Amino acid sequence: MAGILLNHVGKCYKNSREYVVKDLNLEIQDKEFLVLVGPSGCGKTTVLRMIAGLEEITEGEVFIGEQKVNTLEPKDRDIAMVFQNYALYPHLTVFGNIAYPLKQRKIKGVKYSKKEIKKTVEEISILLKVNHLLSRYPKELSGGERQRVALARAMVREPKAFLMDEPLSNLDAQLRSVTRSEILKLHRQVQTTFVYVTHDQTEALTMGNRIAVMNHGVVQQIDTPYEVFYHPANLFVAKFIGSPAMNFFDASVNKNEEKTSIVIEELGVCLEIDSKTPKEEKIIAGIRPENIIVTEAEKNGVKMQVDHSELMGTETILHLIRNDLELRCKVPTEDYRGEKEVNIQFDKEKIHFFSKITEQNLGLCCSGVRIGCLPGVLHS
Amino acid sequence: MLLFLAGFVIIPLGVSIFDSFFQVSLLDVDSREFSGIQNYIRLFSDKNVRQAFLNTSFYVVTALTAESVLGILTAVVLKDKFRFRGIIVAILILPWALPPLVNGVIWKLIFDPSIGMLNSVLMRLELIEEPFIWLNNPDISKICVIIVHIWKMLPMISIIFMAKMQTIPEEILEAASLDGSGKFKQFFTMILPNMRGIFLITLIQGSIGAVHLFDEPYYMTGTASDTRSLLIEDYLIAFRKYDLGEGMALAMVISFSLLIMIVLLMILVRRGTKDV
Amino acid sequence: MCKRKRLCAVIITSVLIIIYSILPVGWMIRTSLLDKSELLKSPARFLIKEISIDNYKQMLGVGEANILTSRNFKTAFFNSVKEALLSTLLIIVIAVLAGYVFARVKTRITQILFVLLLVTMVLPAYSVMLPLYRIMIGLNLLDTVTGVVLIYVSAFMPLAIWIMRSFFESVPTGIEESAWIDGSSRIKAMLLILPLAMPGIIAAAIISFLSVWSQYAIPLVFASSDAQPLTVFLTTLSGKSSVNFGLISAGGMFTILPPVIIVIFLNRFLVSGLTKGAVK
């Protein structure tokens, strides 16, 4: 069992000068379940493969436990990987697949005898509920079964860490959630480091001890799911995490002798700030759909037209427009009667402000929301 | 209408086969006698035929072994992309595309005792003092002939193996690598087992090719009995001795033994790669 | 570290392959460029100082040459060309149609027919060679271009059909189905997807052409003088007493001309034709 450390790791392919992964620093704690999440092409799979030894490390160092593994062959790194397409050996039975790692060479100095192999394989297969499939071939198995066999094959060696490359993406929705909890259960049982790659941010939020959000080969933020969700470090993380996505507005900074306020012109809303004043004049404000409150028609709120609504079960997502501005908000389904116009309010504690230039979270606190603060811009 | 066209095609083929069955050496063409299995008996007592049989057996065994081993080795090197691979494969395929007779010409030029390349090089390197007559020597000449045949067949076999190896998903090899097997082990546990089917096909095609050896030995050594293949023997019986009956008998024997060989190969390959 | 070993293996193998294919052929080229006196020098030198195209002149009948040789050569050359082109043409036409049928119409009968076709491919052609001889004599087709073309067509057609069938199978039926809905007949629809099957057609054509061009044993029996192709012609150049290797080499050069052209320019199709059938 070991932690994994990536120090200033960079990767570029031979033909291009572009860096797929750039100056990446990542410290994965021993026994933790870390999720690497990001859009396609952000480099997360590349990072995983570099840890595994399947990709060359152009710059930087990778440590598994105390050992620097940059030049170490995959077979000597003592880690297991579950591929997106499972990569089961088609010409071997399930038994053969699971037994294969044990047959290769002395694992940690112990050579397994035929009996021991049989026993170990059977134990693992019972654990993963594939023991009735031992004599079948991969092509005869369903997607979920193949997945479990791939997991069994990874687990059988008791490696230092488990690497998973989007293992759930080939399963149907229901199987996905079942398997998700099974993987977490496994993690609790084996008490080993898990590095899990996915492009699905919901999966990331539900599964990880910590999640690392990646984009363009750089780690944008690494923290617990709670922190990443409630305190996104930059615009990208805020946009990527959370479904439906956060709403963003252009805003300008209004400096006054006493107070500073942020004005969202399109909505006619002024937000009072009582922390430091940002240097820039134009910034971006963001608020999640969950934090937009729909109020009664007559109350103090910004009037919006309802473009269409999406029923999501107990909650409904309303797509609202006003002139050219679009935003989404969530309402409890029972409260929505199909109105064409609604008034919205904002939860002042949940508004985020981002620099337009650096895209970083400015860390400002909003102390008050005033609707209709712009002269000439009435709230009707 | 299309079915009709397809049928049109099958008929000449069918007629040929039909015809040959009806004339299965039970008739001696020239005198239309019913000679029964006399032709066959004559075949087996003919020492030329026996020699030709031995020659062809040698050809088949040598060819299959060399083609399989060298074919796989070459394929392993060629299977991963590299910059000039296209050109190299194009160059490689040249011997296969040429008429085997011309291959005979080419190599006869090389093996020629006085002006051939081989002797010239050897003499220059002072490895031999006098020109060695390659194609006259009873044992060496067989080796020379089969080298020419292997020279032709190897490219095709390598390329077929290479293509099949490329269908093995890279992921499987990666998984094997993580599971602890090095490149060498991967070859035996991952690549070879997946080649079972192709291996069989190439063995079959290879044996068909080797049994049908004609052009190369005929040109290089003429009708010398040391290198005479079964097919040459058949040709000589039918068209020099004008003994069509015996010729047909031999043709039947050749086809039949080929069939048996193919069946044997299928059984062998199935059994040999059963447990991996 | 592993990459370096691999690079070494690749380079060594590539060099070996180049030597493998080009050296022997190169030797023949060299021999063809010698005149009679240079030829007989022993031991032979690789690099020759004076190139002479005498042998080629002889073949083509230029200058002071043996008229008979060049006339025979020209006849043989054109025979080869005629036989190969005709056979290929016929084979392709039939193979495309038959291949399409076998790929699209999957009934009991067609399955059986196809298996039968395959079996004939496995069976050596020589077992039918002798009865065929009698048929040819009977039909008066011995030693004619027509005769051998018929033989070649029936011999190499199964392979071509096999290639065409697998190519057609890899074309999704969607295009034809929309054509049918739009009212075109089956044949028109087939013609529609023909361009898609073009690589397969070219591959089958090349393989058929090469097979016919390379034939020796069959024409030796069935086309030994009037209709003799280049391969047979080459063997006639060896006299009883002396063998003029220079002349033969020049002849050889002409004989390998079409294959070499195909290898250089149509290589892609050659390889794909080879591998398609085998890998399936």
Side-chain angles (χ1 to χ4, degrees):
Chain A
M1 322 303 152
I4 301 175
L5 177 67
L6 283 92
N7 236 350
H8 298 292
V9 169
K11 166 121 193 123
C12 69
Y13 286 102
K14 263 182 291 190
N15 307 328
S16 67
R17 288 294 186 77
E18 273 192 42
Y19 276 80
V20 173
V21 172
K22 197 159 182 162
D23 195 25
L24 190 106
N25 292 296
L26 193 60
E27 189 177 341
I28 305 173
Q29 313 284 351
D30 186 18
K31 300 195 187 34
E32 87 167 309
F33 195 109
L34 181 94
V35 179
L36 277 177
V37 65
S40 300
C42 69
K44 53 194 193 295
T45 303
T46 313
V47 169
L48 202 71
R49 287 169 65 91
M50 282 199 281
I51 300 176
L54 299 171
E55 297 279 351
E56 260 186 43
I57 303 166
T58 317
E59 290 172 0
E61 306 160 320
V62 175
F63 290 86
I64 298 181
E66 299 293 314
Q67 194 184 21
K68 178 165 158 182
V69 299
N70 283 41
T71 52
L72 215 54
E73 292 276 313
K75 64 180 168 81
D76 298 318
R77 296 195 187 193
D78 198 19
I79 40 176
M81 182 154 163
V82 178
F83 292 82
Q84 188 173 2
N85 294 310
Y86 318 130
L88 296 180
Y89 307 128
H91 55 287
L92 300 178
T93 57
V94 168
F95 184 94
N97 265 278
I98 304 178
Y100 187 82
L102 297 175
K103 284 194 192 156
Q104 283 330 292
R105 32 131 222 178
K106 305 196 183 79
I107 316 280
K108 306 189 219 268
V110 177
K111 185 130 196 235
Y112 284 75
S113 72
K114 257 200 163 148
K115 257 203 191 141
E116 286 172 335
I117 294 181
K118 189 154 183 279
K119 190 165 126 242
T120 318
V121 172
E122 281 171 4
E123 278 172 11
I124 287 264
S125 56
I126 293 175
L127 189 67
L128 282 157
K129 307 199 199 87
V130 292
N131 47 318
H132 58 292
L133 299 168
L134 285 176
S135 56
R136 303 251 195 104
Y137 283 91
K139 61 175 181 241
E140 303 165 27
L141 304 175
S142 72
E145 290 166 340
R146 285 184 204 173
Q147 232 259 11
R148 292 210 288 281
V149 174
L151 274 170
R153 186 178 66 185
M155 290 181 58
V156 84
R157 288 163 35 203
E158 300 186 11
K160 292 206 185 102
F162 287 91
L163 308 177
M164 303 200 153
D165 189 3
E166 309 206 39
L168 304 182
S169 55
N170 289 341
L171 303 175
D172 61 68
Q174 200 153 18
L175 203 52
R176 217 180 290 170
S177 50
V178 168
T179 317
R180 220 186 285 167
S181 35
E182 280 189 7
I183 292 181
L184 287 174
K185 195 169 82 174
L186 229 57
H187 174 241
R188 287 194 295 274
Q189 269 178 306
V190 298
Q191 292 283 303
T192 313
T193 317
F194 268 61
V195 184
Y196 187 100
V197 162
T198 178
H199 62 271
D200 182 346
Q201 51 94 40
T202 319
E203 229 168 71
L205 289 173
T206 56
M207 291 184 88
N209 291 144
R210 285 196 300 164
I211 56 181
V213 182
M214 282 185 69
N215 192 29
H216 295 314
V218 177
V219 173
Q220 306 290 324
Q221 183 175 5
I222 170 167
D223 216 328
T224 62
Y226 182 94
E227 286 299 314
V228 173
F229 186 83
Y230 283 107
H231 301 128
N234 61 31
L235 201 60
F236 175 78
V237 177
K239 218 187 298 192
F240 187 76
I241 301 284
S243 175
M246 189 185 278
N247 298 291
F248 294 102
F249 314 100
D250 286 319
S252 34
V253 180
N254 226 340
K255 286 192 216 134
N256 212 290
E257 300 100 21
E258 305 131 11
K259 305 193 265 217
T260 313
S261 58
I262 312 276
V263 181
I264 305 176
E265 280 132 10
E266 294 163 299
L267 292 174
V269 169
C270 294
L271 309 162
E272 286 164 5
I273 311 293
D274 63 355
S275 49
K276 53 193 189 307
T277 312
K279 297 198 197 103
E280 300 149 29
E281 288 193 4
K282 296 274 184 221
I283 61 173
I284 296 179
I287 186 162
R288 294 202 185 274
E290 300 88 353
N291 305 126
I292 297 180
I293 311 155
V294 171
T295 63
E296 298 290 306
E298 303 308 316
K299 294 257 183 77
N300 205 11
V302 182
K303 194 167 191 165
M304 307 281 295
Q305 314 287 328
V306 177
D307 185 63
H308 66 276
S309 60
E310 283 179 86
L311 184 82
M312 307 289 287
T314 50
E315 290 185 314
T316 296
I317 300 178
L318 295 180
H319 292 255
L320 308 173
I321 52 175
R322 177 192 166 95
N323 302 327
D324 284 325
L325 183 72
E326 289 176 18
L327 58 83
R328 292 161 299 277
C329 79
K330 266 192 192 170
V331 290
T333 307
E334 295 171 334
D335 294 347
Y336 181 61
R337 302 264 174 261
E339 293 98 324
K340 285 298 178 189
E341 278 182 1
V342 292
N343 287 303
I344 52 174
Q345 261 277 17
F346 303 99
D347 181 346
K348 66 172 192 261
E349 321 235 309
K350 302 283 175 39
I351 307 181
H352 301 270
F353 301 96
F354 302 93
S355 153
K356 213 162 182 174
I357 306 168
T358 68
E359 296 192 350
Q360 294 298 310
N361 193 327
L362 295 167
L364 305 171
C365 295
C366 172
S367 52
V369 179
R370 278 191 298 133
I371 313 286
C373 65
L374 290 183
V377 182
L378 299 169
H379 57 270
S380 54
Chain B
M1 179 212 127
L2 295 168
L3 290 173
F4 169 75
L5 265 162
F8 187 99
V9 143
I10 309 291
I11 294 180
L13 274 170
V15 170
S16 305
I17 304 177
F18 231 47
D19 212 21
S20 72
F21 276 125
F22 267 97
Q23 320 221 1
V24 168
S25 66
L26 295 181
L27 300 172
D28 190 320
V29 176
D30 281 347
S31 49
R32 289 262 162 179
E33 266 174 31
F34 194 88
S35 2
I37 54 172
Q38 276 239 10
N39 283 322
Y40 285 99
I41 300 180
R42 258 191 296 167
L43 268 181
F44 290 120
S45 55
D46 187 343
K47 78 163 169 17
N48 280 330
V49 172
R50 284 209 294 271
Q51 178 67 34
F53 187 80
L54 284 171
N55 292 341
T56 299
S57 313
F58 170 79
Y59 290 149
V60 171
V61 170
T62 326
L64 287 181
T65 322
E67 286 162 18
S68 315
V69 173
L70 293 174
I72 291 192
L73 284 176
T74 324
V76 167
V77 177
L78 291 178
K79 76 174 168 80
D80 298 317
K81 275 211 187 118
F82 59 90
R83 203 136 51 125
F84 296 113
R85 188 175 71 169
I87 303 181
I88 297 288
V89 167
I91 295 179
L92 180 63
I93 214 176
L94 187 63
W96 176 75
L98 304 179
L101 182 85
V102 179
N103 292 350
V105 171
I106 291 177
W107 284 86
K108 184 149 191 197
L109 284 177
I110 295 179
F111 285 126
D112 185 273
S114 43
I115 62 166
M117 182 179 87
L118 194 58
N119 275 345
S120 310
V121 167
L122 289 178
M123 296 227 284
R124 239 169 251 287
L125 294 178
E126 292 180 22
L127 287 171
I128 56 174
E129 280 173 9
E130 288 176 350
F132 187 77
I133 308 184
W134 302 92
L135 297 175
N136 245 347
N137 184 306
D139 304 308
I140 309 258
S141 57
K142 278 203 270 283
I143 300 181
C144 294
V145 165
I146 201 59
I147 285 182
V148 182
H149 181 70
I150 296 175
W151 184 72
K152 174 189 162 76
M153 298 299 278
L154 191 60
M156 174 185 94
I157 293 189
S158 303
I159 291 178
I160 292 182
F161 281 159
M162 175 187 86
K164 181 65 182 178
M165 281 187 193
Q166 290 174 335
T167 63
I168 298 176
E170 187 67 31
E171 274 195 345
I172 303 215
L173 300 176
E174 288 178 348
S177 174
L178 280 163
D179 281 343
S181 63
K183 280 277 162 85
F184 215 63
K185 261 257 170 87
Q186 279 174 35
F187 178 72
F188 284 101
T189 53
M190 293 289 131
I191 298 184
L192 283 188
N194 277 300
M195 308 261 301
R196 214 178 303 168
I198 285 295
F199 201 65
L200 183 63
I201 294 182
T202 35
L203 278 181
I204 292 179
Q205 289 203 320
S207 40
I208 295 180
V211 168
H212 288 172
L213 204 61
F214 186 95
D215 304 17
E216 294 101 322
Y218 191 72
Y219 185 79
M220 288 168 71
T221 55
T223 52
S225 74
D226 295 315
T227 54
R228 204 186 290 184
S229 70
L230 272 180
L231 220 57
I232 296 181
E233 181 63 37
D234 197 19
Y235 171 76
L236 292 176
I237 294 178
F239 296 99
R240 299 279 174 91
K241 285 202 305 190
Y242 288 113
D243 190 342
L244 285 186
E246 199 177 322
M248 266 187 271
L250 185 56
M252 279 290 112
V253 168
I254 296 176
S255 315
F256 200 64
S257 8
L258 195 59
L259 224 66
I260 294 184
M261 194 164 26
I262 291 179
V263 171
L264 274 173
L265 279 174
M266 290 174 88
I267 299 179
L268 223 87
V269 173
R270 289 284 144 80
R271 192 163 324 146
T273 56
K274 202 67 188 291
D275 39 73
V276 171
Chain C
M1 176 207 66
C2 207
K3 300 273 288 286
R4 206 148 292 172
K5 259 197 271 176
R6 162 135 190 97
L7 196 64
C8 276
V10 166
I11 293 184
I12 294 179
T13 313
S14 301
V15 169
L16 282 176
I17 288 178
I18 295 179
I19 297 179
Y20 181 89
S21 290
I22 306 230
L23 197 62
V25 180
W27 185 256
M28 186 170 84
I29 297 179
R30 164 217 170 264
T31 315
S32 70
L33 292 170
L34 301 176
D35 68 17
K36 263 211 155 119
S37 56
E38 271 286 327
L39 191 63
L40 297 172
K41 268 210 200 145
S42 160
R45 321 181 112 263
F46 218 116
L47 304 157
I48 44 183
K49 285 180 238 157
E50 292 175 19
I51 300 181
S52 118
I53 55 173
D54 250 6
N55 295 315
Y56 291 97
K57 283 202 230 164
Q58 288 239 349
M59 279 296 170
L60 297 171
V62 175
E64 21 142 295
N66 186 342
I67 307 286
L68 201 62
T69 312
S70 71
R71 198 187 314 151
N72 285 340
F73 167 73
K74 287 186 193 150
T75 320
F77 186 81
F78 284 117
N79 281 338
S80 280
V81 171
K82 266 190 278 184
E83 289 162 15
L85 283 180
L86 270 175
S87 310
T88 307
L89 202 65
L90 284 172
I91 290 177
I92 289 301
V93 168
I94 298 178
V96 168
L97 291 169
Y100 182 75
V101 171
F102 282 123
R104 293 288 181 248
V105 180
K106 300 261 189 189
T107 64
R108 215 58 192 341
I109 312 173
T110 54
Q111 307 276 50
I112 300 177
L113 274 180
F114 190 68
V115 172
L116 225 76
L117 209 64
L118 289 192
V119 168
T120 66
M121 201 164 66
V122 174
L123 274 182
Y126 298 99
S127 53
V128 298
M129 187 156 79
L130 297 177
L132 216 56
Y133 189 68
R134 300 181 60 234
I135 298 179
M136 285 290 152
I137 294 185
L139 292 175
N140 241 339
L141 285 176
L142 199 62
D143 209 9
T144 61
V145 172
T146 327
V148 282
V149 165
L150 279 176
I151 299 179
Y152 291 145
V153 170
S154 60
F156 296 119
M157 200 187 37
L159 183 62
I161 295 183
W162 163 282
I163 295 180
M164 284 322 301
R165 185 185 93 131
S166 54
F167 259 92
F168 276 125
E169 275 177 347
S170 68
V171 176
T173 54
I175 304 179
E176 294 149 74
E177 283 167 354
S178 46
W180 294 340
I181 295 180
D182 286 342
S184 73
S185 68
R186 265 198 106 116
I187 305 178
K188 283 234 185 81
M190 186 200 83
L191 291 175
L192 202 64
I193 65 168
L194 221 54
L196 285 175
M198 202 41 87
I201 297 179
I202 298 182
I206 291 179
I207 293 190
S208 305
F209 181 88
L210 283 181
S211 306
V212 173
W213 185 269
S214 309
Q215 282 303 307
Y216 177 69
I218 295 192
L220 190 64
V221 171
F222 294 93
S224 45
S225 72
D226 287 334
Q228 76 176 206
L230 270 178
T231 48
V232 178
F233 169 74
L234 272 183
T235 50
T236 64
L237 288 176
S238 313
K240 277 280 163 70
S241 47
S242 71
V243 184
N244 186 348
F245 277 124
L247 203 58
I248 296 180
S249 302
M253 290 306 295
F254 283 108
T255 315
I256 67 172
L257 204 59
V260 168
I261 294 178
I262 290 179
V263 166
I264 295 180
F265 294 107
L266 297 174
N267 189 264
R268 205 180 330 138
F269 301 101
L270 238 188
V271 176
S272 84
L274 246 186
T275 57
K276 242 301 171 128
V279 174
K280 247 195 105 189

